[in-house]
Amino acid sequence: MSITPTQDSSSNFRQKIYRREEHGISRKNISQNALNVLYDLNAAGYQAYLVGGGVRDLLLGLKPKDFDVATDASPEQVRQVFRNSRIIGRRFQIVHVHYGREIIEVSTFRAPSEQSTEIPGSSLSRRVKHLDSAHSQDGMILRDNVFGSIEEDAIRRDFTVNALYYTVRNFEVLDFTGGMQDLQQGTMRIIGDPELRYREDPVRTLRAIRLAAKLDFQIEEHSAKAIKPAAKLLLSVPAARLFDEFLKLFFNGHGQSTFRQLLAFEVFAFLFPPVAEFITTEQDQAMLHGAFASTDKRIAVGKSVTPAFLLAAILWPAVRRLFSQNLQTGMPPMPAMHDAGESVIKQQQETLSIPKRFSIPMREIWEYQLRLERRSGKRAFALLSHKRFRAAYDFLLLRADSGEDLQELANWWTQFQDADKDQRQAMQNKLGPADVSKSRKRRVKSRKGSK
Ligand code: ATP
Ligand code: MG
């Protein structure tokens, strides 16, 4: 019998304990509310640990985004300890403890699903207190409320670096999967058999890529190899959950490198099927690179960002093509754009749903691309004061920068905004009726180009 070395290393690992002086986590970097939750649960006689991204980020010297707590108390018992708490019944039952705007998430130790406990060589025994789990036919976990021990809780987590437990009883870090070593080496390693773990929850492929990009970690060989074959399973993940993941993927300041990795692992096309055929060449990707880069830049300097703009850019290649196809059938430009936007969004919703509060502004951004071409008379002045002008103008720049023949139009709008009242009037006068024919010419050109 042959043994695959890396794959099973996390399950053969024996528990390791790191003392306070060995790990360097300081309580002053942990939110007071999270500490209170740990102390209060301990005082009520329960085990309680900080776990997940919080511990991982503390060990790396980063500021954790949020703090998650794991405990042996049941959700009901946790509820009784904290009056300011609520049981949230999503896929897993967890308890939210509210402190003003901060929420500490408390989850009860969970056992892995039936399938993932069948890890060869695993030394972990299975002590299931309460069984409530279900799988779909293709092995995806549907419901997962099987309470277990801390060791079991560790191996049902996704990556070894996410399965480190910190306790305020003696300030130790408990490691059941070799996460500390992986953390020191900058390795993202999935716990257990990669193929099985991605099948159970395909979103783990996205988490691997996102966290590796955020932490600048390498995905371990076996964990990486299994991503590509699992990517198509993303199509069966609920569309609303994928929208949540989309936000996490691209609004953390590392959107562009995440995009590169999603392309490299051939995952991106499964998130955005309407643009699958437009991302095969550098040229095609230009618009998307531009959009991710500018989102990262805005986040870096604390400017606001909206999913509507980014989604409008991601889907633009598909909208643009359908728009010119519609023109060819004789549809006037505005209805042609309206229809293109609507169809592409509809197709997109099947995989990754976009809430209305974003899909409406997306369509406005697209439709304003036509309005920006029509500048004569009083139109340009009116557009300037429209609430969607800024986004539409930024979108136009993005299109111009990514190779569409629009530099002249983009420059005109840049100058028009910077100009004073008289200069603006002069710019308008200069346009005259020629403006209309110019934009018509461009449409004819794009019609020819798309044949
Ligand atoms: P972030 O910095 O984005 O918050 P995180 O690792 O804390 O990263 P969360 O979504 O907050 O991500 O999840 C908290 C923890 O729950 C993870 O660290 C991991 O241990 C576990 N977890 C989250 N999602 C999964 C999943 N799909 N499968 C298994 N374990 C998961
Ligand atoms: Mg977290």
Side-chain angles (χ1 to χ4, degrees), residues 193-320:
D193 174 50
E195 196 247 333
L196 189 69
R197 298 305 310 284
Y198 293 138
R199 189 157 15 106
E200 276 179 354
D201 183 2
V203 168
R204 288 172 186 150
T205 58
L206 301 177
R207 290 180 52 85
I209 291 168
R210 169 167 69 87
L211 293 171
K214 168 181 157 171
L215 305 171
D216 202 12
F217 273 28
Q218 289 290 322
I219 306 177
E220 173 274 328
E221 192 190 332
H222 292 91
S223 313
K225 248 195 199 147
I227 292 181
K228 229 182 252 186
K232 61 176 177 301
L233 302 175
L234 285 166
L235 295 173
S236 51
V237 171
R241 184 167 177 224
L242 281 191
F243 180 77
D244 291 344
E245 285 302 321
F246 156 77
L247 296 179
K248 291 188 196 167
L249 282 167
F250 296 117
F251 292 92
N252 60 9
H254 309 274
Q256 202 183 6
S257 57
T258 305
F259 175 55
R260 280 211 189 88
Q261 291 301 312
L262 290 171
L263 287 176
F265 282 105
E266 295 174 25
V267 171
F268 191 81
F270 293 106
L271 293 177
F272 295 100
V275 287
E277 59 183 297
F278 298 100
I279 49 169
T280 49
T281 68
E282 286 277 325
Q283 174 83 28
D284 283 346
Q285 293 164 11
M287 175 90 177
L288 283 78
H289 275 297
F292 290 121
S294 87
T295 303
D296 288 348
K297 245 188 244 154
R298 290 182 69 93
I299 291 172
V301 296
K303 286 191 186 167
S304 68
V305 284
T306 160
F309 186 85
L310 192 58
L311 286 164
I314 291 173
L315 295 175
W316 176 243
V319 173
R320 188 178 167 215

Side-chain angles (χ1 to χ4, degrees), residues 63-81:
K63 195 175 170 344
K65 210 175 66 191
D66 46 39
F67 291 96
D68 298 311
V69 169
T71 178
D72 61 350
S74 71
E76 216 26 77
Q77 288 167 328
V78 176
R79 262 286 299 131
Q80 279 159 16
V81 176

Side-chain angles (χ1 to χ4, degrees), residues 337-405:
M337 186 64 88
H338 189 85
D339 173 82
E342 195 169 84
S343 310
V344 171
I345 286 179
K346 194 165 165 227
Q347 196 192 337
Q348 180 58 51
Q349 303 281 27
E350 288 172 21
T351 320
L352 184 153
S353 65
I354 301 170
K356 269 223 166 66
R357 67 180 186 283
F358 300 125
S359 63
I360 292 171
M362 280 165 72
R363 278 157 55 166
E364 285 174 350
I365 290 171
W366 293 330
E367 287 168 26
Y368 264 80
Q369 299 309 298
L370 299 178
R371 300 225 161 97
L372 289 175
E373 291 188 4
R374 302 176 195 168
R375 297 159 288 169
S376 51
K378 291 205 167 50
R379 281 174 177 156
F381 289 98
L383 280 177
L384 217 45
S385 57
H386 190 275
K387 72 172 191 309
R388 209 63 71 197
F389 172 78
R390 186 71 216 186
Y393 163 73
D394 285 342
F395 199 82
L396 182 74
L397 293 189
L398 199 59
R399 291 171 61 203
D401 287 346
S402 56
E404 285 191 60
D405 180 17

Side-chain angles (χ1 to χ4, degrees), residues 71-100:
T71 178
D72 61 350
S74 71
E76 216 26 77
Q77 288 167 328
V78 176
R79 262 286 299 131
Q80 279 159 16
V81 176
F82 303 99
R83 274 193 306 152
N84 50 327
S85 69
R86 241 160 46 105
I87 295 182
I88 306 294
R90 279 180 297 179
R91 210 159 71 98
F92 321 111
Q93 261 199 349
I94 53 173
V95 184
H96 277 176
V97 187
H98 291 259
Y99 295 93

Side-chain angles (χ1 to χ4, degrees), residues 4-55:
T4 28
T6 15
Q7 183 163 306
D8 295 334
S9 60
S10 59
S11 51
N12 284 331
F13 184 82
R14 292 207 180 280
Q15 178 183 346
K16 258 199 170 154
I17 296 173
Y18 294 88
R19 292 192 308 275
R20 186 206 293 232
E21 59 278 15
E22 291 173 305
H23 60 65
I25 290 182
S26 159
R27 259 175 304 166
K28 68 175 192 299
N29 297 326
I30 303 173
S31 105
Q32 192 53 48
N33 296 326
L35 289 172
N36 286 346
V37 170
L38 295 174
Y39 286 123
D40 290 355
L41 283 169
N42 284 167
Y46 302 112
Q47 296 179 46
Y49 296 87
L50 214 56
V51 65
V55 178

Side-chain angles (χ1 to χ4, degrees), residues 100-266:
R101 287 174 56 186
E102 189 179 13
I103 295 174
I104 308 296
E105 231 174 73
V106 182
S107 47
T108 305
F109 293 148
R110 256 192 328 258
S113 72
E114 293 289 345
Q115 302 184 1
S116 38
T117 44
E118 292 160 16
I119 301 167
S122 172
S123 57
L124 299 172
S125 63
R126 204 165 139 68
R127 291 187 297 274
V128 178
K129 291 179 191 162
H130 168 69
L131 205 82
D132 177 21
S133 104
H135 286 83
S136 69
Q137 272 184 344
D138 49 10
M140 198 153 65
I141 300 179
L142 300 176
R143 206 174 56 252
D144 189 15
N145 268 322
V146 186
F147 300 147
S149 65
I150 183 168
E151 294 95 326
E152 288 169 323
D153 190 75
I155 60 163
R156 66 91 194 165
R157 288 179 183 273
D158 47 9
F159 302 97
T160 61
V161 294
N162 284 346
L164 294 162
Y165 295 73
Y166 172 79
T167 164
V168 289
R169 273 203 169 132
N170 49 16
F171 310 107
E172 288 173 348
V173 169
L174 309 188
D175 181 0
F176 303 94
T177 64
M180 192 65 102
Q181 199 189 349
D182 284 338
L183 192 109
Q184 281 155 0
Q185 294 174 349
T187 302
M188 291 292 300
R189 182 195 310 273
I190 199 149
I191 298 170
D193 174 50
E195 196 247 333
L196 189 69
R197 298 305 310 284
Y198 293 138
R199 189 157 15 106
E200 276 179 354
D201 183 2
V203 168
R204 288 172 186 150
T205 58
L206 301 177
R207 290 180 52 85
I209 291 168
R210 169 167 69 87
L211 293 171
K214 168 181 157 171
L215 305 171
D216 202 12
F217 273 28
Q218 289 290 322
I219 306 177
E220 173 274 328
E221 192 190 332
H222 292 91
S223 313
K225 248 195 199 147
I227 292 181
K228 229 182 252 186
K232 61 176 177 301
L233 302 175
L234 285 166
L235 295 173
S236 51
V237 171
R241 184 167 177 224
L242 281 191
F243 180 77
D244 291 344
E245 285 302 321
F246 156 77
L247 296 179
K248 291 188 196 167
L249 282 167
F250 296 117
F251 292 92
N252 60 9
H254 309 274
Q256 202 183 6
S257 57
T258 305
F259 175 55
R260 280 211 189 88
Q261 291 301 312
L262 290 171
L263 287 176
F265 282 105
E266 295 174 25

